[in-house]
Amino acid sequence: MQVGVPKEVKQDEYRVGLTPAGVQELIRGGHRVWVERGAGARVGFSDQVYRDAGAEIAANAEEVFSRARLIVKVKEPQPEECALLRADHLLFTYLHLAAEAALVERLQASGAAAIAYETVTQADGGLPLLTPMSEVAGRLAVQAGAHHLELAQGGRGVLLGGVPGVAPAQVVIVGGGVVGTEAARIALGMGAQVTLLDTSLARLRTLDKLFGGRVHCEYATGALTEARALTADLVIGAVLIPGASAPKLLSEAQVRKMQPGSVLVDVAIDQGGCFATSRPTTHAQPTFTVNGVVHYCVANMPSAAARTATLALTNATLPFVQALADQGLDALAADAHLRAGLNICAGQVTHLAVAESLDLPFTRPDRVLNDQLSR
C-alpha cells in the first residue's frame, strides 16, 4: 500500500507521524512511503534520513494525499487537510472529535475512514495508542504547572518543593489514570505534597500501594474535589471518558473561589476540557487568567517534548499502521480493538461516544465495514 506522512500544520505541532525506523519497517513489508518535505525536521529527522530509510520525499501535502491511501498523522486534520481527503483514504491519527462538530462534518463529507488513536483498545481495556502521549502529558503537566506558579508567570510565587522551613506546594490531581499517575510521580519527585482524586476505589488502592502512602489518595466526590481545589496551589485535570466529552470537575463559581495565583492545568482540553473556565491555548500563548487563576490549556501538550513524543508514539502505533497497510479495511474487520478506533467511515459516525457527545446518529462500525467490503 502507498502510505503518506504529511507535515503537521496545527499551530506549534512539531511531532511527525512516523519515525525513519517506522518507515523502514513498512518498506521491508513491501509498502511505499511518502514523507512530506521537512515533516520531521523539528525533531531531528532530516529528509535525507527518511530517504536512507527508503521513503520518497513529497514536495507538499497535496502530493502526499494524492499518492497515498493510508495517511498517518499525529493531530486532527486541519480544514486545508480535510479538503485533500478522498473516500478511499484511511486516516490514522488523533482525532478527539467529541468537542469538534465542524471537524466531524468535514470528515463525513470526505467519505474517508477516520481511525482515532485515542479510541483504539486492547484486551485489558486499556488505550494503547493514547498511553504514550498520556505519559508525556502527565509529566509535562507538572513541569508546566510548576513554571506558571512562578510570580513572573502570573502565579502565586510558590516553589513546588518548598525549602527547609517552608511548606511545599499543594498539588491536587483529579483522575488516577495514566496522566494522573505520571503527574503524581513527577510532582512527588519535585517535593510537592500530592493529593490524587479518583472515583474508583480499586484504582485508589493500587495507587496508594504504588506510591507507598506518600500520595494522599482520596475518593473524588464533588464536594471533596471543590474543597481540595480551594486550598491547592496547582490543580491538574486528568480525567478521561474514551471518545466522549470530558466531565466538568469545577464550575466557574468554584474556580472563582480558588486562591489567586493558583494554577489549573487542563490535560483534557482535547476532549473539551474538564474545568468550566477552560478554553484551548497554544504553546506560543499557553495561559490565560480567569478571576486570578492561571489556566494552562495547551491542546497539544506533548509537542513541547516533540522528539520524545514522536519516538514513543511510533513505538505504539507501528503494529497498527502495518496492519492497515497490509490489509486496509480488512484489518478493521478482523481486529475488534483496532475497529474500536474507527470514528467516521463513509460519511457515518461509527463511535458511540462521539455520536452521543455531538447528538448525531450512530452506525455500528461492523455494519459500515461490511457494506464497504462487499462493494
Side-chain angles (χ1 to χ4, degrees):
M1 185 180 287
Q2 304 260 10
V3 180
V5 182
K7 184 177 180 179
E8 296 295 320
V9 294
K10 184 181 178 77
Q11 184 175 352
D12 302 324
E13 183 52 68
Y14 308 119
R15 290 171 289 180
V16 62
L18 284 172
T19 63
V23 167
Q24 190 172 55
E25 292 301 311
L26 289 170
I27 299 296
R28 287 174 178 168
H31 304 291
R32 193 173 178 185
V33 182
W34 295 85
V35 177
E36 185 178 352
R37 180 181 298 148
R42 294 299 298 270
V43 291
F45 299 133
S46 68
D47 292 344
Q48 187 57 51
V49 172
Y50 278 110
R51 285 193 188 94
D52 293 343
E56 298 173 70
I57 303 302
N60 50 44
E62 288 80 2
E63 184 177 4
V64 172
F65 280 76
S66 67
R67 292 184 179 277
R69 183 182 175 211
L70 172 59
I71 304 296
V72 181
K73 281 176 45 61
V74 178
K75 290 301 291 179
E76 70 280 358
Q78 302 303 292
E80 62 269 35
E81 294 175 304
C82 288
L84 299 174
L85 285 170
R86 304 186 308 265
D88 66 326
H89 271 140
L90 304 174
L91 172 66
F92 198 30
T93 189
Y94 287 114
L95 289 173
H96 298 291
L97 296 178
E100 294 289 346
L103 177 56
V104 169
E105 290 182 8
R106 294 187 190 103
L107 291 174
Q108 288 180 296
S110 75
I115 307 152
Y117 292 157
E118 72 273 9
T119 63
V120 173
T121 59
Q122 60 190 26
D124 64 1
L127 303 169
L129 306 189
L130 188 61
T131 294
M133 295 304 94
S134 294
E135 291 169 335
V136 173
R139 295 179 180 212
L140 283 173
V142 179
Q143 291 182 200
H147 177 60
H148 290 286
L149 273 172
E150 296 172 10
L151 201 63
Q153 306 304 318
R156 300 187 67 217
V158 173
L159 183 64
L160 212 63
V163 292
V166 179
Q170 302 283 326
V171 176
V172 173
I173 302 164
V174 190
V178 177
V179 170
T181 302
E182 295 304 317
R185 190 189 310 278
I186 299 303
L188 191 65
M190 293 178 72
Q193 183 171 321
V194 183
T195 299
L196 199 154
L197 308 178
D198 199 277
T199 56
S200 167
L201 287 174
R203 184 59 183 163
L204 291 171
R205 291 189 182 103
T206 298
L207 291 167
D208 183 67
K209 185 178 296 185
L210 175 66
F211 291 113
R214 294 175 296 160
V215 170
H216 302 286
C217 298
E218 299 184 307
Y219 188 83
T221 64
L224 184 65
T225 299
E226 178 182 8
R228 295 293 177 261
L230 298 190
T231 60
D233 298 293
L234 169 61
V235 179
I236 296 173
V239 293
L240 173 70
I241 301 174
S245 297
K248 295 296 184 279
L249 306 175
L250 294 172
S251 68
E252 184 174 356
Q254 290 169 326
V255 171
R256 192 181 304 120
K257 292 189 287 185
M258 290 176 64
Q259 300 183 89
S262 57
V263 176
L264 289 173
V265 175
D266 196 338
V267 186
I269 194 64
D270 272 332
Q271 296 292 124
C274 55
F275 306 121
T277 45
S278 294
R279 56 177 170 80
T281 62
T282 66
H283 289 288
Q285 294 182 303
T287 64
F288 60 92
T289 301
V290 176
N291 297 317
V293 177
V294 178
H295 291 58
Y296 181 96
C297 306
V298 175
N300 58 335
M301 192 184 296
S303 185
R307 184 175 174 88
T308 296
T310 294
L311 291 165
L313 183 60
T314 295
N315 289 344
T317 60
L318 184 58
F320 297 96
V321 173
Q322 290 172 310
L324 289 167
D326 289 343
Q327 304 172 53
L329 288 176
D330 285 316
L332 296 163
D335 184 347
H337 297 298
L338 181 55
R339 187 165 64 248
L342 187 64
N343 281 206
I344 307 286
C345 187
Q348 300 175 70
V349 179
T350 54
H351 194 282
L352 181 60
V354 172
E356 290 180 340
S357 294
L358 297 172
D359 195 24
L360 292 171
F362 166 68
T363 305
R364 288 172 55 92
D366 53 349
R367 177 181 170 185
V368 179
L369 288 170
N370 286 339
D371 289 344
Q372 293 296 299
L373 291 171
S374 64
R375 293 181 178 180

